[in-house]
Amino acid sequence: MRERMSRKEINIGMIGYQFMGKMHSHAYRDLSFYFEDTLKPVLKAIAGRNETAVIQAAEQMGWESYETDWRRLVERDDIDVIDIVTPNHTHAEIAIAAAEHGKHILSEKPLALTVEDAERMKEAVEKNGVLHMICHNYRFAPAVQYARKLIEEGKLGQIYHMRANYLQDFIMDPSFPLIWRLNKEVSGSGALGDIGAHSIDLARFLVGEISEVSGMMETFIKERPLPGAGQGLTAKTENSEYGKVTVDDAVAFLARFENGAMGTFEATRFAGGNRNKNKFEINGSKGSVRWDMENMNNLDVYFEDSPAGLQGFRSINCTEEVHPYAEAYWPPGHIIGYEHTFINLMHAFMKGIEAKESPSPNFVDGVRNQKVLAAVETSASERKWVSISR
Ligand code: SOE
């Protein structure tokens, strides 16, 4: 870390520059605008193979320098943190190299393609004594943090159910191209690992560890046109050549939690009309909560002890001073957005680095998450319940 002016600064090196590259860059740049109690990230260097594109990204997002080879970036002694926002199949190699060069690491989710790779990443960071996090940003929505507080305080009582649905619809058009998220060798799985992983993380954060699962997976559109230049969620293509989709378009699974609660999960990219509806409901003996990313500032709560005639869900706008993170932003009712969940996560990471600890969700959480993903895939292919080892 570098001493400069009044704030300790920490030099970030980021690998990748597409959707999450832009989101993480925004979070690093805005962090010190909202939080003055921790390290100030410096956008030191960004890496990407396409020199023209990475130069453009560096200029647009405010990175001081660029590299066209990530291996050069992880070797630089002016870099303190490596942020991995590249497709899933690259996470393990990059993270292990970064750990071996003494860099703290933030990795996008899911941690890896396999449990074995995720375990190797965890071993590398622990062996090299570097700090680590995985970017499950939805934990850092104030309403989700408040739900966790209510549960921890016993306000919901014994937890009976969590039902989580992560609903998208961006690939329902058969002409949508075969982007990397639809290629098992690059992505590992489809809706399951890309968005189901978020629901699994929220389940672990709010209810607890999952002990066994029973799942089903489906690929509704088996072939798609090969991609052109674009690989994002709004990619288009003129390609007349087709390729096989090798991941799930949708997944549904049952889960039993170690504490006895029941879980029902769904992650799909074929729920027409739902753009990014990451939502859950948790029911306990004393009350329930429910949250929907498309209305992310609000937490619906229900308490059994409300007076007769007044029972029912009510919506709490989690922007009051008592609510997590509210003081960092605006007066009550002046809501925040998707990008602020990343700023809140980066704040936790910076505080963790200062305290020399890896805040949750870290690579230990990433391995647990990867084990649930693998168990769901095994369950779906072998049509049986699958237990998850600790
Ligand atoms: C695409 O499904 C995606 O960009 C995910 O990869 C992100 O993790 C999620 O936050 C939004 O949707």
mmCIF file with all atom_site columns, all heavy atoms in Angstrom, residues 19-20 109 137-138 166 168 170 181 194-195 198 233 269 276 338, ligand 1:
data_model
loop_
_atom_site.group_PDB
_atom_site.id
_atom_site.type_symbol
_atom_site.label_atom_id
_atom_site.label_alt_id
_atom_site.label_comp_id
_atom_site.label_asym_id
_atom_site.label_entity_id
_atom_site.label_seq_id
_atom_site.pdbx_PDB_ins_code
_atom_site.Cartn_x
_atom_site.Cartn_y
_atom_site.Cartn_z
_atom_site.occupancy
_atom_site.B_iso_or_equiv
_atom_site.pdbx_formal_charge
_atom_site.auth_seq_id
_atom_site.auth_comp_id
_atom_site.auth_asym_id
_atom_site.auth_atom_id
_atom_site.pdbx_PDB_model_num
ATOM   1   N N   . PHE A 1 19  ? -18.639 -5.932  -18.828 1.00 0.00 ? 19  PHE A N   1
ATOM   2   C CA  . PHE A 1 19  ? -19.701 -5.493  -17.910 1.00 0.00 ? 19  PHE A CA  1
ATOM   3   C C   . PHE A 1 19  ? -19.183 -5.376  -16.459 1.00 0.00 ? 19  PHE A C   1
ATOM   4   O O   . PHE A 1 19  ? -19.243 -4.306  -15.844 1.00 0.00 ? 19  PHE A O   1
ATOM   5   C CB  . PHE A 1 19  ? -20.837 -6.510  -18.001 1.00 0.00 ? 19  PHE A CB  1
ATOM   6   C CG  . PHE A 1 19  ? -22.025 -6.267  -17.106 1.00 0.00 ? 19  PHE A CG  1
ATOM   7   C CD1 . PHE A 1 19  ? -22.252 -5.053  -16.478 1.00 0.00 ? 19  PHE A CD1 1
ATOM   8   C CD2 . PHE A 1 19  ? -22.956 -7.285  -16.890 1.00 0.00 ? 19  PHE A CD2 1
ATOM   9   C CE1 . PHE A 1 19  ? -23.361 -4.850  -15.664 1.00 0.00 ? 19  PHE A CE1 1
ATOM   10  C CE2 . PHE A 1 19  ? -24.073 -7.085  -16.081 1.00 0.00 ? 19  PHE A CE2 1
ATOM   11  C CZ  . PHE A 1 19  ? -24.269 -5.871  -15.468 1.00 0.00 ? 19  PHE A CZ  1
ATOM   12  N N   . MET A 1 20  ? -18.623 -6.450  -15.933 1.00 0.00 ? 20  MET A N   1
ATOM   13  C CA  . MET A 1 20  ? -18.176 -6.390  -14.536 1.00 0.00 ? 20  MET A CA  1
ATOM   14  C C   . MET A 1 20  ? -16.904 -5.534  -14.395 1.00 0.00 ? 20  MET A C   1
ATOM   15  O O   . MET A 1 20  ? -16.677 -4.911  -13.359 1.00 0.00 ? 20  MET A O   1
ATOM   16  C CB  . MET A 1 20  ? -17.970 -7.794  -13.971 1.00 0.00 ? 20  MET A CB  1
ATOM   17  C CG  . MET A 1 20  ? -19.284 -8.471  -13.654 1.00 0.00 ? 20  MET A CG  1
ATOM   18  S SD  . MET A 1 20  ? -20.219 -7.551  -12.379 1.00 0.00 ? 20  MET A SD  1
ATOM   19  C CE  . MET A 1 20  ? -21.840 -7.478  -13.123 1.00 0.00 ? 20  MET A CE  1
ATOM   20  N N   . LYS A 1 109 ? -17.868 -14.090 -9.416  1.00 0.00 ? 109 LYS A N   1
ATOM   21  C CA  . LYS A 1 109 ? -18.464 -15.412 -9.152  1.00 0.00 ? 109 LYS A CA  1
ATOM   22  C C   . LYS A 1 109 ? -18.838 -16.050 -10.491 1.00 0.00 ? 109 LYS A C   1
ATOM   23  O O   . LYS A 1 109 ? -18.936 -15.376 -11.493 1.00 0.00 ? 109 LYS A O   1
ATOM   24  C CB  . LYS A 1 109 ? -19.708 -15.268 -8.277  1.00 0.00 ? 109 LYS A CB  1
ATOM   25  C CG  . LYS A 1 109 ? -20.622 -14.071 -8.463  1.00 0.00 ? 109 LYS A CG  1
ATOM   26  C CD  . LYS A 1 109 ? -21.042 -13.707 -9.851  1.00 0.00 ? 109 LYS A CD  1
ATOM   27  C CE  . LYS A 1 109 ? -21.846 -14.725 -10.541 1.00 0.00 ? 109 LYS A CE  1
ATOM   28  N NZ  . LYS A 1 109 ? -22.228 -14.326 -11.950 1.00 0.00 ? 109 LYS A NZ  1
ATOM   29  N N   . ASN A 1 137 ? -22.260 -9.637  -4.764  1.00 0.00 ? 137 ASN A N   1
ATOM   30  C CA  . ASN A 1 137 ? -22.615 -8.268  -4.402  1.00 0.00 ? 137 ASN A CA  1
ATOM   31  C C   . ASN A 1 137 ? -23.986 -8.130  -3.752  1.00 0.00 ? 137 ASN A C   1
ATOM   32  O O   . ASN A 1 137 ? -24.226 -7.195  -2.983  1.00 0.00 ? 137 ASN A O   1
ATOM   33  C CB  . ASN A 1 137 ? -22.578 -7.377  -5.645  1.00 0.00 ? 137 ASN A CB  1
ATOM   34  C CG  . ASN A 1 137 ? -23.516 -7.897  -6.731  1.00 0.00 ? 137 ASN A CG  1
ATOM   35  O OD1 . ASN A 1 137 ? -23.301 -8.979  -7.264  1.00 0.00 ? 137 ASN A OD1 1
ATOM   36  N ND2 . ASN A 1 137 ? -24.574 -7.158  -7.021  1.00 0.00 ? 137 ASN A ND2 1
ATOM   37  N N   . TYR A 1 138 ? -24.915 -9.063  -4.014  1.00 0.00 ? 138 TYR A N   1
ATOM   38  C CA  . TYR A 1 138 ? -26.286 -8.847  -3.528  1.00 0.00 ? 138 TYR A CA  1
ATOM   39  C C   . TYR A 1 138 ? -26.378 -8.902  -2.007  1.00 0.00 ? 138 TYR A C   1
ATOM   40  O O   . TYR A 1 138 ? -27.286 -8.334  -1.412  1.00 0.00 ? 138 TYR A O   1
ATOM   41  C CB  . TYR A 1 138 ? -27.247 -9.843  -4.172  1.00 0.00 ? 138 TYR A CB  1
ATOM   42  C CG  . TYR A 1 138 ? -27.415 -9.644  -5.661  1.00 0.00 ? 138 TYR A CG  1
ATOM   43  C CD1 . TYR A 1 138 ? -26.922 -10.570 -6.577  1.00 0.00 ? 138 TYR A CD1 1
ATOM   44  C CD2 . TYR A 1 138 ? -28.022 -8.499  -6.158  1.00 0.00 ? 138 TYR A CD2 1
ATOM   45  C CE1 . TYR A 1 138 ? -27.062 -10.374 -7.935  1.00 0.00 ? 138 TYR A CE1 1
ATOM   46  C CE2 . TYR A 1 138 ? -28.172 -8.295  -7.524  1.00 0.00 ? 138 TYR A CE2 1
ATOM   47  C CZ  . TYR A 1 138 ? -27.677 -9.246  -8.402  1.00 0.00 ? 138 TYR A CZ  1
ATOM   48  O OH  . TYR A 1 138 ? -27.811 -9.050  -9.760  1.00 0.00 ? 138 TYR A OH  1
ATOM   49  N N   . TYR A 1 166 ? -34.216 -16.627 -9.185  1.00 0.00 ? 166 TYR A N   1
ATOM   50  C CA  . TYR A 1 166 ? -33.445 -15.612 -9.912  1.00 0.00 ? 166 TYR A CA  1
ATOM   51  C C   . TYR A 1 166 ? -33.882 -15.724 -11.377 1.00 0.00 ? 166 TYR A C   1
ATOM   52  O O   . TYR A 1 166 ? -33.540 -16.664 -12.063 1.00 0.00 ? 166 TYR A O   1
ATOM   53  C CB  . TYR A 1 166 ? -31.951 -15.800 -9.738  1.00 0.00 ? 166 TYR A CB  1
ATOM   54  C CG  . TYR A 1 166 ? -31.130 -14.571 -10.066 1.00 0.00 ? 166 TYR A CG  1
ATOM   55  C CD1 . TYR A 1 166 ? -29.960 -14.266 -9.382  1.00 0.00 ? 166 TYR A CD1 1
ATOM   56  C CD2 . TYR A 1 166 ? -31.520 -13.665 -11.056 1.00 0.00 ? 166 TYR A CD2 1
ATOM   57  C CE1 . TYR A 1 166 ? -29.198 -13.146 -9.683  1.00 0.00 ? 166 TYR A CE1 1
ATOM   58  C CE2 . TYR A 1 166 ? -30.781 -12.531 -11.359 1.00 0.00 ? 166 TYR A CE2 1
ATOM   59  C CZ  . TYR A 1 166 ? -29.636 -12.279 -10.667 1.00 0.00 ? 166 TYR A CZ  1
ATOM   60  O OH  . TYR A 1 166 ? -28.877 -11.146 -10.964 1.00 0.00 ? 166 TYR A OH  1
ATOM   61  N N   . GLN A 1 168 ? -34.332 -14.273 -15.213 1.00 0.00 ? 168 GLN A N   1
ATOM   62  C CA  . GLN A 1 168 ? -33.923 -13.397 -16.300 1.00 0.00 ? 168 GLN A CA  1
ATOM   63  C C   . GLN A 1 168 ? -34.573 -13.886 -17.587 1.00 0.00 ? 168 GLN A C   1
ATOM   64  O O   . GLN A 1 168 ? -35.206 -14.947 -17.623 1.00 0.00 ? 168 GLN A O   1
ATOM   65  C CB  . GLN A 1 168 ? -32.385 -13.399 -16.441 1.00 0.00 ? 168 GLN A CB  1
ATOM   66  C CG  . GLN A 1 168 ? -31.656 -12.751 -15.260 1.00 0.00 ? 168 GLN A CG  1
ATOM   67  C CD  . GLN A 1 168 ? -30.147 -12.749 -15.451 1.00 0.00 ? 168 GLN A CD  1
ATOM   68  O OE1 . GLN A 1 168 ? -29.584 -13.520 -16.230 1.00 0.00 ? 168 GLN A OE1 1
ATOM   69  N NE2 . GLN A 1 168 ? -29.462 -11.866 -14.727 1.00 0.00 ? 168 GLN A NE2 1
ATOM   70  N N   . PHE A 1 170 ? -32.923 -12.794 -20.948 1.00 0.00 ? 170 PHE A N   1
ATOM   71  C CA  . PHE A 1 170 ? -32.177 -12.156 -22.048 1.00 0.00 ? 170 PHE A CA  1
ATOM   72  C C   . PHE A 1 170 ? -31.778 -13.103 -23.172 1.00 0.00 ? 170 PHE A C   1
ATOM   73  O O   . PHE A 1 170 ? -31.300 -12.655 -24.215 1.00 0.00 ? 170 PHE A O   1
ATOM   74  C CB  . PHE A 1 170 ? -30.949 -11.403 -21.500 1.00 0.00 ? 170 PHE A CB  1
ATOM   75  C CG  . PHE A 1 170 ? -29.817 -12.264 -21.007 1.00 0.00 ? 170 PHE A CG  1
ATOM   76  C CD1 . PHE A 1 170 ? -28.740 -12.567 -21.825 1.00 0.00 ? 170 PHE A CD1 1
ATOM   77  C CD2 . PHE A 1 170 ? -29.825 -12.770 -19.723 1.00 0.00 ? 170 PHE A CD2 1
ATOM   78  C CE1 . PHE A 1 170 ? -27.692 -13.355 -21.375 1.00 0.00 ? 170 PHE A CE1 1
ATOM   79  C CE2 . PHE A 1 170 ? -28.787 -13.561 -19.253 1.00 0.00 ? 170 PHE A CE2 1
ATOM   80  C CZ  . PHE A 1 170 ? -27.709 -13.849 -20.078 1.00 0.00 ? 170 PHE A CZ  1
ATOM   81  N N   . ARG A 1 181 ? -21.111 -17.274 -21.862 1.00 0.00 ? 181 ARG A N   1
ATOM   82  C CA  . ARG A 1 181 ? -21.926 -17.757 -20.736 1.00 0.00 ? 181 ARG A CA  1
ATOM   83  C C   . ARG A 1 181 ? -22.726 -19.015 -21.091 1.00 0.00 ? 181 ARG A C   1
ATOM   84  O O   . ARG A 1 181 ? -23.285 -19.662 -20.217 1.00 0.00 ? 181 ARG A O   1
ATOM   85  C CB  . ARG A 1 181 ? -22.892 -16.658 -20.268 1.00 0.00 ? 181 ARG A CB  1
ATOM   86  C CG  . ARG A 1 181 ? -22.277 -15.609 -19.353 1.00 0.00 ? 181 ARG A CG  1
ATOM   87  C CD  . ARG A 1 181 ? -23.319 -14.621 -18.878 1.00 0.00 ? 181 ARG A CD  1
ATOM   88  N NE  . ARG A 1 181 ? -22.848 -13.779 -17.787 1.00 0.00 ? 181 ARG A NE  1
ATOM   89  C CZ  . ARG A 1 181 ? -22.188 -12.640 -17.936 1.00 0.00 ? 181 ARG A CZ  1
ATOM   90  N NH1 . ARG A 1 181 ? -21.891 -12.229 -19.157 1.00 0.00 ? 181 ARG A NH1 1
ATOM   91  N NH2 . ARG A 1 181 ? -21.791 -11.925 -16.881 1.00 0.00 ? 181 ARG A NH2 1
ATOM   92  N N   . ASP A 1 194 ? -24.199 -18.938 -12.989 1.00 0.00 ? 194 ASP A N   1
ATOM   93  C CA  . ASP A 1 194 ? -24.138 -17.483 -13.233 1.00 0.00 ? 194 ASP A CA  1
ATOM   94  C C   . ASP A 1 194 ? -25.055 -16.730 -12.268 1.00 0.00 ? 194 ASP A C   1
ATOM   95  O O   . ASP A 1 194 ? -24.671 -15.736 -11.676 1.00 0.00 ? 194 ASP A O   1
ATOM   96  C CB  . ASP A 1 194 ? -24.529 -17.210 -14.681 1.00 0.00 ? 194 ASP A CB  1
ATOM   97  C CG  . ASP A 1 194 ? -24.357 -15.756 -15.034 1.00 0.00 ? 194 ASP A CG  1
ATOM   98  O OD1 . ASP A 1 194 ? -23.401 -15.136 -14.533 1.00 0.00 ? 194 ASP A OD1 1
ATOM   99  O OD2 . ASP A 1 194 ? -25.191 -15.215 -15.771 1.00 0.00 ? 194 ASP A OD2 1
ATOM   100 N N   . ILE A 1 195 ? -26.295 -17.215 -12.133 1.00 0.00 ? 195 ILE A N   1
ATOM   101 C CA  . ILE A 1 195 ? -27.237 -16.492 -11.259 1.00 0.00 ? 195 ILE A CA  1
ATOM   102 C C   . ILE A 1 195 ? -27.710 -17.346 -10.081 1.00 0.00 ? 195 ILE A C   1
ATOM   103 O O   . ILE A 1 195 ? -27.915 -16.842 -8.979  1.00 0.00 ? 195 ILE A O   1
ATOM   104 C CB  . ILE A 1 195 ? -28.428 -15.936 -12.061 1.00 0.00 ? 195 ILE A CB  1
ATOM   105 C CG1 . ILE A 1 195 ? -29.088 -16.998 -12.927 1.00 0.00 ? 195 ILE A CG1 1
ATOM   106 C CG2 . ILE A 1 195 ? -27.960 -14.728 -12.880 1.00 0.00 ? 195 ILE A CG2 1
ATOM   107 C CD1 . ILE A 1 195 ? -30.306 -16.477 -13.715 1.00 0.00 ? 195 ILE A CD1 1
ATOM   108 N N   . HIS A 1 198 ? -25.709 -16.808 -6.983  1.00 0.00 ? 198 HIS A N   1
ATOM   109 C CA  . HIS A 1 198 ? -26.085 -15.662 -6.132  1.00 0.00 ? 198 HIS A CA  1
ATOM   110 C C   . HIS A 1 198 ? -27.146 -16.077 -5.118  1.00 0.00 ? 198 HIS A C   1
ATOM   111 O O   . HIS A 1 198 ? -27.066 -15.716 -3.940  1.00 0.00 ? 198 HIS A O   1
ATOM   112 C CB  . HIS A 1 198 ? -26.649 -14.525 -6.995  1.00 0.00 ? 198 HIS A CB  1
ATOM   113 C CG  . HIS A 1 198 ? -25.623 -13.673 -7.682  1.00 0.00 ? 198 HIS A CG  1
ATOM   114 N ND1 . HIS A 1 198 ? -24.615 -13.018 -7.020  1.00 0.00 ? 198 HIS A ND1 1
ATOM   115 C CD2 . HIS A 1 198 ? -25.477 -13.365 -8.994  1.00 0.00 ? 198 HIS A CD2 1
ATOM   116 C CE1 . HIS A 1 198 ? -23.887 -12.329 -7.884  1.00 0.00 ? 198 HIS A CE1 1
ATOM   117 N NE2 . HIS A 1 198 ? -24.379 -12.533 -9.085  1.00 0.00 ? 198 HIS A NE2 1
ATOM   118 N N   . LEU A 1 233 ? -24.616 -9.243  -22.534 1.00 0.00 ? 233 LEU A N   1
ATOM   119 C CA  . LEU A 1 233 ? -26.011 -9.663  -22.347 1.00 0.00 ? 233 LEU A CA  1
ATOM   120 C C   . LEU A 1 233 ? -26.917 -9.103  -23.438 1.00 0.00 ? 233 LEU A C   1
ATOM   121 O O   . LEU A 1 233 ? -28.078 -9.453  -23.536 1.00 0.00 ? 233 LEU A O   1
ATOM   122 C CB  . LEU A 1 233 ? -26.510 -9.200  -20.969 1.00 0.00 ? 233 LEU A CB  1
ATOM   123 C CG  . LEU A 1 233 ? -25.655 -9.602  -19.774 1.00 0.00 ? 233 LEU A CG  1
ATOM   124 C CD1 . LEU A 1 233 ? -26.364 -9.275  -18.492 1.00 0.00 ? 233 LEU A CD1 1
ATOM   125 C CD2 . LEU A 1 233 ? -25.283 -11.072 -19.813 1.00 0.00 ? 233 LEU A CD2 1
ATOM   126 N N   . ARG A 1 269 ? -33.074 -18.228 -17.367 1.00 0.00 ? 269 ARG A N   1
ATOM   127 C CA  . ARG A 1 269 ? -32.929 -17.109 -18.301 1.00 0.00 ? 269 ARG A CA  1
ATOM   128 C C   . ARG A 1 269 ? -34.087 -17.104 -19.294 1.00 0.00 ? 269 ARG A C   1
ATOM   129 O O   . ARG A 1 269 ? -34.013 -16.464 -20.329 1.00 0.00 ? 269 ARG A O   1
ATOM   130 C CB  . ARG A 1 269 ? -31.607 -17.259 -19.050 1.00 0.00 ? 269 ARG A CB  1
ATOM   131 C CG  . ARG A 1 269 ? -30.375 -17.069 -18.163 1.00 0.00 ? 269 ARG A CG  1
ATOM   132 C CD  . ARG A 1 269 ? -29.146 -17.713 -18.729 1.00 0.00 ? 269 ARG A CD  1
ATOM   133 N NE  . ARG A 1 269 ? -27.912 -17.223 -18.109 1.00 0.00 ? 269 ARG A NE  1
ATOM   134 C CZ  . ARG A 1 269 ? -26.735 -17.795 -18.245 1.00 0.00 ? 269 ARG A CZ  1
ATOM   135 N NH1 . ARG A 1 269 ? -26.622 -18.891 -19.002 1.00 0.00 ? 269 ARG A NH1 1
ATOM   136 N NH2 . ARG A 1 269 ? -25.657 -17.306 -17.655 1.00 0.00 ? 269 ARG A NH2 1
ATOM   137 N N   . ASN A 1 276 ? -34.015 -8.899  -14.361 1.00 0.00 ? 276 ASN A N   1
ATOM   138 C CA  . ASN A 1 276 ? -32.978 -9.303  -13.399 1.00 0.00 ? 276 ASN A CA  1
ATOM   139 C C   . ASN A 1 276 ? -33.619 -9.454  -12.019 1.00 0.00 ? 276 ASN A C   1
ATOM   140 O O   . ASN A 1 276 ? -33.227 -8.839  -11.047 1.00 0.00 ? 276 ASN A O   1
ATOM   141 C CB  . ASN A 1 276 ? -31.837 -8.273  -13.350 1.00 0.00 ? 276 ASN A CB  1
ATOM   142 C CG  . ASN A 1 276 ? -30.631 -8.819  -12.576 1.00 0.00 ? 276 ASN A CG  1
ATOM   143 O OD1 . ASN A 1 276 ? -30.267 -9.978  -12.715 1.00 0.00 ? 276 ASN A OD1 1
ATOM   144 N ND2 . ASN A 1 276 ? -30.043 -7.998  -11.712 1.00 0.00 ? 276 ASN A ND2 1
ATOM   145 N N   . TYR A 1 338 ? -28.036 -0.805  -8.113  1.00 0.00 ? 338 TYR A N   1
ATOM   146 C CA  . TYR A 1 338 ? -27.226 -2.028  -8.305  1.00 0.00 ? 338 TYR A CA  1
ATOM   147 C C   . TYR A 1 338 ? -25.746 -1.719  -8.094  1.00 0.00 ? 338 TYR A C   1
ATOM   148 O O   . TYR A 1 338 ? -25.050 -2.438  -7.388  1.00 0.00 ? 338 TYR A O   1
ATOM   149 C CB  . TYR A 1 338 ? -27.504 -2.527  -9.717  1.00 0.00 ? 338 TYR A CB  1
ATOM   150 C CG  . TYR A 1 338 ? -26.742 -3.724  -10.204 1.00 0.00 ? 338 TYR A CG  1
ATOM   151 C CD1 . TYR A 1 338 ? -26.739 -4.938  -9.517  1.00 0.00 ? 338 TYR A CD1 1
ATOM   152 C CD2 . TYR A 1 338 ? -26.041 -3.665  -11.410 1.00 0.00 ? 338 TYR A CD2 1
ATOM   153 C CE1 . TYR A 1 338 ? -26.069 -6.046  -10.009 1.00 0.00 ? 338 TYR A CE1 1
ATOM   154 C CE2 . TYR A 1 338 ? -25.365 -4.776  -11.904 1.00 0.00 ? 338 TYR A CE2 1
ATOM   155 C CZ  . TYR A 1 338 ? -25.378 -5.959  -11.208 1.00 0.00 ? 338 TYR A CZ  1
ATOM   156 O OH  . TYR A 1 338 ? -24.697 -7.052  -11.712 1.00 0.00 ? 338 TYR A OH  1
HETATM 157 C C1  . SOE B 2 .   ? -25.767 -12.171 -16.150 1.00 0.00 ? 1   SOE B C1  1
HETATM 158 O O1  . SOE B 2 .   ? -26.609 -13.143 -15.775 1.00 0.00 ? 1   SOE B O1  1
HETATM 159 C C2  . SOE B 2 .   ? -25.400 -11.276 -14.963 1.00 0.00 ? 1   SOE B C2  1
HETATM 160 O O2  . SOE B 2 .   ? -24.576 -10.262 -15.453 1.00 0.00 ? 1   SOE B O2  1
HETATM 161 C C3  . SOE B 2 .   ? -24.619 -12.040 -13.891 1.00 0.00 ? 1   SOE B C3  1
HETATM 162 O O3  . SOE B 2 .   ? -23.410 -12.574 -14.410 1.00 0.00 ? 1   SOE B O3  1
HETATM 163 C C4  . SOE B 2 .   ? -24.339 -11.096 -12.721 1.00 0.00 ? 1   SOE B C4  1
HETATM 164 O O4  . SOE B 2 .   ? -23.634 -11.779 -11.684 1.00 0.00 ? 1   SOE B O4  1
HETATM 165 C C5  . SOE B 2 .   ? -25.660 -10.556 -12.176 1.00 0.00 ? 1   SOE B C5  1
HETATM 166 O O5  . SOE B 2 .   ? -25.434 -9.645  -11.106 1.00 0.00 ? 1   SOE B O5  1
HETATM 167 C C6  . SOE B 2 .   ? -26.452 -9.868  -13.275 1.00 0.00 ? 1   SOE B C6  1
HETATM 168 O O6  . SOE B 2 .   ? -26.613 -10.745 -14.414 1.00 0.00 ? 1   SOE B O6  1
#
